[in-house]
Amino acid sequence: MLLNAAILIGTVLVMEVVAWAVHKYVMHGPGWGWHRSHHEEHDDVLEKNDLYAVLFAGLALLLVVFSPGRGPLYWIGIGMSVYGALYFFVHDGLVHQRWPFRYVPRNGYLKRLVQAHRLHHAVEGRDGCVSFGFLYAPPVRRLKDELRQSGAPLARDSET
Ligand SMILES: [Zn+2]
Ligand SMILES: [Zn+2]
Protein backbone atom coordinates (compact mmCIF):
# COMPACT_ATOMS: atom_id res chain seq x y z
CA MET A 1 0.00 0.00 0.00
CA LEU A 2 2.69 2.47 1.08
CA LEU A 3 4.92 1.34 -1.77
CA ASN A 4 2.11 1.81 -4.28
CA ALA A 5 1.46 5.33 -3.00
CA ALA A 6 5.19 6.09 -3.28
CA ILE A 7 5.26 4.79 -6.88
CA LEU A 8 2.19 6.90 -7.71
CA ILE A 9 3.59 10.12 -6.24
CA GLY A 10 7.05 9.43 -7.65
CA THR A 11 5.54 8.94 -11.11
CA VAL A 12 3.72 12.29 -10.91
CA LEU A 13 7.02 14.01 -10.03
CA VAL A 14 8.99 12.18 -12.74
CA MET A 15 6.27 13.00 -15.27
CA GLU A 16 6.81 16.72 -14.67
CA VAL A 17 10.47 16.26 -15.60
CA VAL A 18 9.52 14.10 -18.59
CA ALA A 19 6.90 16.64 -19.74
CA TRP A 20 9.41 19.49 -19.34
CA ALA A 21 12.01 17.61 -21.41
CA VAL A 22 9.54 16.51 -24.09
CA HIS A 23 8.15 20.06 -24.33
CA LYS A 24 11.61 21.63 -24.58
CA TYR A 25 13.45 19.13 -26.76
CA VAL A 26 10.74 17.34 -28.77
CA MET A 27 7.77 19.67 -29.09
CA HIS A 28 9.98 22.73 -29.65
CA GLY A 29 12.32 20.57 -31.74
CA PRO A 30 11.48 17.86 -34.27
CA GLY A 31 7.90 17.65 -32.93
CA TRP A 32 7.12 21.32 -33.63
CA GLY A 33 4.80 20.24 -36.47
CA TRP A 34 2.17 19.19 -33.92
CA HIS A 35 3.01 21.73 -31.23
CA ARG A 36 2.94 24.79 -33.51
CA SER A 37 -0.87 24.69 -33.51
CA HIS A 38 -0.73 25.49 -29.79
CA HIS A 39 1.44 28.58 -30.31
CA GLU A 40 -0.67 30.14 -33.05
CA GLU A 41 -3.95 32.07 -32.75
CA HIS A 42 -7.02 30.15 -33.93
CA ASP A 43 -10.74 29.67 -33.26
CA ASP A 44 -10.82 25.88 -33.45
CA VAL A 45 -11.83 23.80 -30.46
CA LEU A 46 -9.08 21.24 -30.98
CA GLU A 47 -5.41 21.58 -31.86
CA LYS A 48 -3.03 19.16 -33.52
CA ASN A 49 -1.01 19.61 -30.33
CA ASP A 50 -3.73 17.70 -28.44
CA LEU A 51 -2.34 14.55 -30.07
CA TYR A 52 0.52 14.67 -27.52
CA ALA A 53 -2.03 14.40 -24.70
CA VAL A 54 -3.78 11.55 -26.52
CA LEU A 55 -0.44 9.78 -26.90
CA PHE A 56 0.42 10.07 -23.19
CA ALA A 57 -3.12 9.11 -22.16
CA GLY A 58 -2.96 6.06 -24.42
CA LEU A 59 0.32 4.99 -22.86
CA ALA A 60 -1.10 5.39 -19.35
CA LEU A 61 -4.21 3.42 -20.33
CA LEU A 62 -2.09 0.58 -21.75
CA LEU A 63 -0.18 0.33 -18.46
CA VAL A 64 -3.35 0.38 -16.35
CA VAL A 65 -5.22 -2.16 -18.49
CA PHE A 66 -2.46 -4.59 -19.38
CA SER A 67 -0.12 -4.57 -16.36
CA PRO A 68 -0.14 -7.96 -14.64
CA GLY A 69 -2.03 -7.81 -11.34
CA ARG A 70 -1.86 -4.47 -9.60
CA GLY A 71 1.92 -4.33 -9.75
CA PRO A 72 4.28 -1.35 -10.12
CA LEU A 73 3.38 -0.79 -13.80
CA TYR A 74 -0.26 -0.38 -12.85
CA TRP A 75 0.61 2.33 -10.32
CA ILE A 76 2.91 4.05 -12.80
CA GLY A 77 -0.07 4.14 -15.19
CA ILE A 78 -2.28 5.62 -12.45
CA GLY A 79 0.46 8.19 -11.66
CA MET A 80 0.63 9.18 -15.34
CA SER A 81 -3.15 9.60 -15.36
CA VAL A 82 -3.06 11.76 -12.24
CA TYR A 83 -0.35 13.89 -13.86
CA GLY A 84 -2.48 14.17 -17.00
CA ALA A 85 -5.46 15.38 -14.97
CA LEU A 86 -3.32 17.97 -13.15
CA TYR A 87 -1.80 19.07 -16.46
CA PHE A 88 -5.27 19.56 -17.96
CA PHE A 89 -6.44 21.51 -14.93
CA VAL A 90 -3.44 23.85 -14.93
CA HIS A 91 -2.57 24.14 -18.63
CA ASP A 92 -5.84 23.74 -20.50
CA GLY A 93 -8.00 25.08 -17.68
CA LEU A 94 -6.27 27.77 -15.64
CA VAL A 95 -3.94 29.08 -18.34
CA HIS A 96 -5.81 28.65 -21.61
CA GLN A 97 -9.38 28.69 -20.21
CA ARG A 98 -10.58 25.78 -22.35
CA TRP A 99 -13.45 25.19 -19.99
CA PRO A 100 -16.93 26.66 -20.15
CA PHE A 101 -16.43 29.13 -17.30
CA ARG A 102 -13.85 31.72 -16.39
CA TYR A 103 -11.62 31.27 -13.39
CA VAL A 104 -8.20 32.91 -13.19
CA PRO A 105 -6.23 32.52 -9.94
CA ARG A 106 -5.42 35.94 -8.48
CA ASN A 107 -2.77 34.92 -6.00
CA GLY A 108 -0.54 32.15 -4.71
CA TYR A 109 1.28 29.43 -6.54
CA LEU A 110 -1.45 28.83 -9.11
CA LYS A 111 -1.14 32.47 -10.22
CA ARG A 112 2.60 31.99 -10.60
CA LEU A 113 2.01 28.87 -12.73
CA VAL A 114 -0.36 30.79 -15.00
CA GLN A 115 2.04 33.75 -15.35
CA ALA A 116 4.95 31.43 -16.06
CA HIS A 117 3.12 29.65 -18.87
CA ARG A 118 1.92 32.96 -20.31
CA LEU A 119 5.60 33.88 -20.54
CA HIS A 120 6.15 30.63 -22.44
CA HIS A 121 3.67 31.95 -24.98
CA ALA A 122 5.18 35.46 -25.00
CA VAL A 123 7.69 34.49 -27.67
CA GLU A 124 6.77 34.47 -31.35
CA GLY A 125 7.56 31.07 -32.84
CA ARG A 126 9.53 28.08 -31.68
CA ASP A 127 12.92 29.33 -30.49
CA GLY A 128 13.97 31.32 -27.45
CA CYS A 129 10.94 30.30 -25.36
CA VAL A 130 11.16 30.06 -21.55
CA SER A 131 9.27 28.04 -18.94
CA PHE A 132 8.69 24.54 -20.31
CA GLY A 133 7.32 22.93 -17.14
CA PHE A 134 3.64 22.73 -16.20
CA LEU A 135 3.29 22.00 -12.49
CA TYR A 136 6.53 23.63 -11.38
CA ALA A 137 7.40 27.19 -12.33
CA PRO A 138 10.49 29.17 -11.36
CA PRO A 139 9.88 32.67 -9.97
CA VAL A 140 8.28 34.88 -12.62
CA ARG A 141 10.98 37.55 -12.29
CA ARG A 142 13.66 34.99 -13.17
CA LEU A 143 11.68 33.93 -16.26
CA LYS A 144 11.32 37.53 -17.38
CA ASP A 145 15.09 38.00 -17.07
CA GLU A 146 15.64 34.83 -19.06
CA LEU A 147 13.24 36.07 -21.71
CA ARG A 148 15.00 39.42 -21.99
CA GLN A 149 18.37 37.72 -22.31
CA SER A 150 17.17 35.31 -24.99
CA GLY A 151 16.40 38.27 -27.25
CA ALA A 152 13.68 36.22 -28.93
CA PRO A 153 11.01 38.11 -30.89
CA LEU A 154 7.98 38.71 -28.66
CA ALA A 155 4.46 37.94 -29.80
CA ARG A 156 2.35 41.04 -30.39
CA ASP A 157 -0.27 40.24 -27.75
CA SER A 158 2.17 39.32 -24.98
CA GLU A 159 1.71 41.04 -21.65
CA THR A 160 5.33 41.20 -20.51
ZN1 LIG B 1 5.46 25.29 -26.22
ZN1 LIG C 1 0.13 26.60 -23.54
Side-chain angles (χ1 to χ4, degrees), residues 38 91 96 117 121:
H38 182 60
H91 179 259
H96 294 296
H117 192 70
H121 283 281

mmCIF file of all heavy atoms in Angstrom, residues 38 91 96 117 121, ligand 2:
data_model
loop_
_atom_site.group_PDB
_atom_site.id
_atom_site.type_symbol
_atom_site.label_atom_id
_atom_site.label_comp_id
_atom_site.label_asym_id
_atom_site.label_seq_id
_atom_site.Cartn_x
_atom_site.Cartn_y
_atom_site.Cartn_z
ATOM 1 N N HIS A 38 -0.449 24.965 -31.118
ATOM 2 C CA HIS A 38 -0.727 25.494 -29.786
ATOM 3 C C HIS A 38 -0.136 26.892 -29.591
ATOM 4 O O HIS A 38 -0.531 27.616 -28.685
ATOM 5 C CB HIS A 38 -0.175 24.537 -28.726
ATOM 6 C CG HIS A 38 -0.466 24.989 -27.332
ATOM 7 N ND1 HIS A 38 -1.749 25.169 -26.877
ATOM 8 C CD2 HIS A 38 0.343 25.342 -26.308
ATOM 9 C CE1 HIS A 38 -1.701 25.595 -25.628
ATOM 10 N NE2 HIS A 38 -0.450 25.721 -25.255
ATOM 11 N N HIS A 91 -2.905 23.623 -17.297
ATOM 12 C CA HIS A 91 -2.573 24.142 -18.627
ATOM 13 C C HIS A 91 -3.807 24.489 -19.466
ATOM 14 O O HIS A 91 -3.975 25.607 -19.923
ATOM 15 C CB HIS A 91 -1.675 23.157 -19.371
ATOM 16 C CG HIS A 91 -1.307 23.618 -20.743
ATOM 17 N ND1 HIS A 91 -1.918 23.144 -21.876
ATOM 18 C CD2 HIS A 91 -0.414 24.550 -21.164
ATOM 19 C CE1 HIS A 91 -1.409 23.751 -22.933
ATOM 20 N NE2 HIS A 91 -0.495 24.609 -22.541
ATOM 21 N N HIS A 96 -5.204 28.376 -20.309
ATOM 22 C CA HIS A 96 -5.814 28.654 -21.610
ATOM 23 C C HIS A 96 -7.337 28.730 -21.576
ATOM 24 O O HIS A 96 -7.968 28.953 -22.613
ATOM 25 C CB HIS A 96 -5.337 27.625 -22.632
ATOM 26 C CG HIS A 96 -3.873 27.739 -22.923
ATOM 27 N ND1 HIS A 96 -3.321 28.849 -23.511
ATOM 28 C CD2 HIS A 96 -2.837 26.902 -22.664
ATOM 29 C CE1 HIS A 96 -2.010 28.691 -23.620
ATOM 30 N NE2 HIS A 96 -1.689 27.519 -23.106
ATOM 31 N N HIS A 117 3.445 30.232 -17.567
ATOM 32 C CA HIS A 117 3.123 29.654 -18.865
ATOM 33 C C HIS A 117 2.747 30.737 -19.868
ATOM 34 O O HIS A 117 2.978 30.577 -21.070
ATOM 35 C CB HIS A 117 2.024 28.595 -18.749
ATOM 36 C CG HIS A 117 1.884 27.798 -20.008
ATOM 37 N ND1 HIS A 117 2.850 26.897 -20.419
ATOM 38 C CD2 HIS A 117 0.952 27.813 -20.989
ATOM 39 C CE1 HIS A 117 2.481 26.381 -21.590
ATOM 40 N NE2 HIS A 117 1.343 26.924 -21.955
ATOM 41 N N HIS A 121 4.353 31.559 -23.737
ATOM 42 C CA HIS A 121 3.666 31.953 -24.980
ATOM 43 C C HIS A 121 3.996 33.376 -25.409
ATOM 44 O O HIS A 121 3.436 33.869 -26.392
ATOM 45 C CB HIS A 121 2.151 31.815 -24.814
ATOM 46 C CG HIS A 121 1.677 30.390 -24.894
ATOM 47 N ND1 HIS A 121 1.526 29.721 -26.083
ATOM 48 C CD2 HIS A 121 1.365 29.500 -23.920
ATOM 49 C CE1 HIS A 121 1.118 28.487 -25.840
ATOM 50 N NE2 HIS A 121 1.009 28.318 -24.536
HETATM 51 ZN ZN ZN B 2 0.128 26.601 -23.536
#
